[in-house]
Amino acid sequence: MNLIEEFNAYRAKMNEKILAEDNKVIKRFFNLDTNTYAEGELDIKTKEMIGLACSMVLRCDDCIKYHLGKSHEAGLKKEEIFEVFSIAMVIGGSIVIPHLRRAVEYWEELENQ
């Protein structure tokens, strides 16, 4: 199983377990998250770029992988992704560099699938 398949399988398995507990607050939060990234006044590509930059600054590798996957699905190009990376670096500083390395590795996997 490659990096992308492993991430997506684990995420799906755990989300299923979490949602099966039928906790109203958790379900509402998941729904809020889903609806936040739906098409609206901002297009999906823009929302994913914002989500990716924020995830990098917050240093959440799972979030970075998720938004890279969604960005890839939305048709972002490598050049656009690297502009997002540069914004995240300026905002977050050098502590973002390890996450940038893993993000580049994951993006390469997405491009090669």
Side-chain angles (χ1 to χ4, degrees), residues 60-72:
C60 175
D61 285 329
D62 279 8
C63 303
I64 292 166
K65 288 175 183 173
Y66 174 79
H67 288 293
L68 283 171
K70 289 296 188 179
S71 293
H72 189 263

